[in-house]
Amino acid sequence: MLLVLCKSYFFQVGACIVNSENKIVGIGYNGMPNGCSDDVLPWRRTAAHRLDTKYPYVCHAELNAIMNKNSADVKGCSMYVALFPCNECAKLIIQAGIKEVIFMSDKYHDSIEMTAARRMFDLAGIVYREFKPKCNKIIIDFDSINSRPSQKLL
């Protein structure tokens, strides 16, 4: 079996907080709040009524990473995120004391929310930069786990 993950096929929003030693101190992904079933609340992007979309319910990856931290605080840490943070997440990042945001995509760059986020980051002295990967896909060959390297007989 061969699993191929690439940007155009798979794009789940996630966040990872690392300390000054690049050790992971918090992770998160977009999801419903604890106790709110994914099966009951909508995951649609569009609907006739906003309450029938995911937007009023979903906790963003940045929020979950900060809430799921495994250290006393994340002050001075860096956050890696799939998407440039929205204005609401920018407020949380600033309040948590995170000093740097490294993002993969800024596809909503011109939106009001992202403009407000950049404005707040600039005022608070938060460094933000785009992550430039060395390759555009990751291939994991799960069959190789079960195979043994060939050995030469002497």
Side-chain angles (χ1 to χ4, degrees):
M1 171 168 62
L2 187 65
L3 176 65
V4 177
L5 303 177
C6 88
K7 206 159 126 178
S8 61
Y9 292 19
F10 178 80
F11 201 83
Q12 178 67 38
V13 181
C16 180
I17 303 171
V18 298
N19 64 16
S20 60
E21 299 172 337
N22 279 329
K23 300 236 188 302
I24 296 172
V25 296
I27 58 171
Y29 55 88
N30 279 10
M32 297 300 174
N34 291 336
C36 297
S37 173
D38 291 358
D39 297 328
V40 175
L41 294 173
W43 276 101
R44 292 182 292 279
R45 291 176 187 259
T46 59
H49 300 286
R50 186 162 164 82
L51 285 175
D52 294 327
T53 70
K54 65 182 181 173
Y55 299 108
Y57 310 105
V58 169
C59 294
H60 285 181
E62 299 91 336
L63 164 70
N64 280 326
I66 292 167
M67 295 300 295
N68 295 330
K69 68 184 184 291
N70 63 7
S71 62
D73 65 44
V74 291
K75 188 172 184 149
C77 289
S78 297
M79 179 181 278
Y80 289 83
V81 292
L83 293 175
F84 189 87
C86 71
N87 61 310
E88 294 299 320
C89 291
K91 294 179 213 176
L92 292 168
I93 290 166
I94 293 165
Q95 292 298 89
I98 291 170
K99 67 174 175 113
E100 179 182 31
V101 174
I102 302 98
F103 59 94
M104 182 78 172
S105 172
D106 193 11
K107 68 180 178 177
Y108 303 113
H109 179 85
D110 295 326
S111 71
I112 291 169
E113 293 81 7
M114 304 320 159
T115 301
R118 283 190 303 278
R119 186 178 291 173
M120 287 187 284
F121 284 159
D122 290 341
L123 288 170
I126 308 295
V127 174
Y128 52 93
R129 63 184 168 87
E130 185 176 359
F131 176 72
K132 302 282 189 186
K134 293 180 178 148
C135 61
N136 64 356
K137 63 183 169 181
I138 299 170
I139 300 171
I140 303 171
D141 181 356
F142 289 108
D143 286 335
S144 67
I145 294 170
N146 292 321
S147 63
R148 294 174 57 138
S150 60
Q151 298 174 354
K152 290 185 177 181
L153 297 174
L154 298 175

